[in-house]
């Protein structure tokens, strides 16, 4: 396994989406870049990328924010993996998860996409489901409200109070996954 990791934050491009629940992946990779003084630049793979080295273990992280809508995240992800000569086992997708309560972070390797079209597109273009996922809980919509509408809304006022902690925990989960492995990260965040 390489010591270089592609960390793809899922979200929708454009200012109208920037604070949506669906854009938590973008927020997490932005936090990682900020922590380590990295800046995003345009890449030909239809993504903004920032590169950094973690102080623990010296692992290289390529942080990516696809410059496309969420459902088309696979193209930029596969193009970046190919550009950096990375296998799917060195790809981490950071995304919103409605099946996890708000303010909760969980990690997994492989498995289903749970109806998440961004993940479905990544699985399709990578040709496998065997990549890592850092799942930031945004909770289910209240009552019988539509899930798609729920994730395309901004976080509520109450959620915004704890949002920095969710972003911080998800960024910590990415770093721990890279430095100590999946089991250690799951032990801390599950």
């Amino acid at each position: 396994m390489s010591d270089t990791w592609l960390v793809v934050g899922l979200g929708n491009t454009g200012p109208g989406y920037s604070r949506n629940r669906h854009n938590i992946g973008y927020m997490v990779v932005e936090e990682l870049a900020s922590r380590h003084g990295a800046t995003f630049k345009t890449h030909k793979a239809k993504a903004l990328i920032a590169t950094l080295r973690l102080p623990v273990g010296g692992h290289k992280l390529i942080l990516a924010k696809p410059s496309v809508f969420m459902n088309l995240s696979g193209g930029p992800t596969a193009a970046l993996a190919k550009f950096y000569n990375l296998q799917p086992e060195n790809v981490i997708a950071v995304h919103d998860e409605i099946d996890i309560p708000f303010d909760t972070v969980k990690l997994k390797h492989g498995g289903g996409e749970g109806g998440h079209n961004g993940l479905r597109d990544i699985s399709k273009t990578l040709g496998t489901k065997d990549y890592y996922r850092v799942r930031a809980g945004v909770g289910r919509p209240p009552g019988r409200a539509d899930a798609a509408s729920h994730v395309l809304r901004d976080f509520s006022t109450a959620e915004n109070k704890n949002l920095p902690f969710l972003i911080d925990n998800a960024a910590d989960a990415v770093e721990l996954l890279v430095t100590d492995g999946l089991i250690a990260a799951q032990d801390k965040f599950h």
Side-chain angles (χ1 to χ4, degrees), residues 12-157:
N12 283 312
T13 188
Y17 298 101
S18 67
R19 300 307 293 166
N20 286 180
R21 291 177 181 92
H22 223 19
N23 275 41
I24 190 76
Y26 275 15
M27 295 173 203
V28 172
V29 295
E30 288 165 357
E31 168 62 22
L32 285 164
S34 175
R35 283 181 183 185
H36 299 284
T39 54
F40 285 93
K41 296 176 180 149
T42 303
H43 192 280
K44 66 182 180 180
K46 294 187 181 173
L48 297 172
I49 66 158
T51 306
L52 61 93
R53 282 216 178 264
L54 291 178
V56 176
H59 301 279
K60 181 178 179 181
L61 299 188
I62 300 149
L63 307 175
K65 297 190 304 182
S67 304
V68 296
F69 284 105
M70 170 81 74
N71 297 354
L72 303 173
S73 298
T77 301
L80 288 167
K82 183 176 181 183
F83 182 84
Y84 290 102
N85 197 28
L86 295 173
Q87 297 301 311
E89 67 252 17
N90 281 83
V91 173
I92 302 169
V94 184
H95 63 92
D96 61 303
E97 178 66 65
I98 64 170
D99 291 326
I100 298 173
F102 174 75
D103 203 15
T104 303
V105 174
K106 293 197 175 194
L107 301 94
K108 73 176 190 172
H109 181 262
E113 294 95 2
H116 197 293
N117 291 327
L119 293 177
R120 187 175 291 127
D121 197 51
I122 290 173
S123 297
K124 181 177 131 190
T125 58
L126 289 179
T128 183
K129 295 180 181 187
D130 292 333
Y131 54 92
Y132 292 95
R133 295 95 184 272
V134 173
R135 305 153 66 206
V138 296
R140 285 216 158 264
R144 296 182 186 265
D146 179 56
S149 296
H150 176 67
V151 296
L152 291 172
R153 284 196 192 101
D154 288 356
F155 287 96
S156 70
T157 303

Side-chain angles (χ1 to χ4, degrees), residues 157-176:
T157 303
E159 289 170 333
N160 271 315
K161 291 177 184 168
N162 285 331
L163 184 58
F165 300 108
L166 175 59
I167 294 168
D168 198 48
N169 284 339
D172 287 349
V174 169
E175 291 189 13
L176 192 59

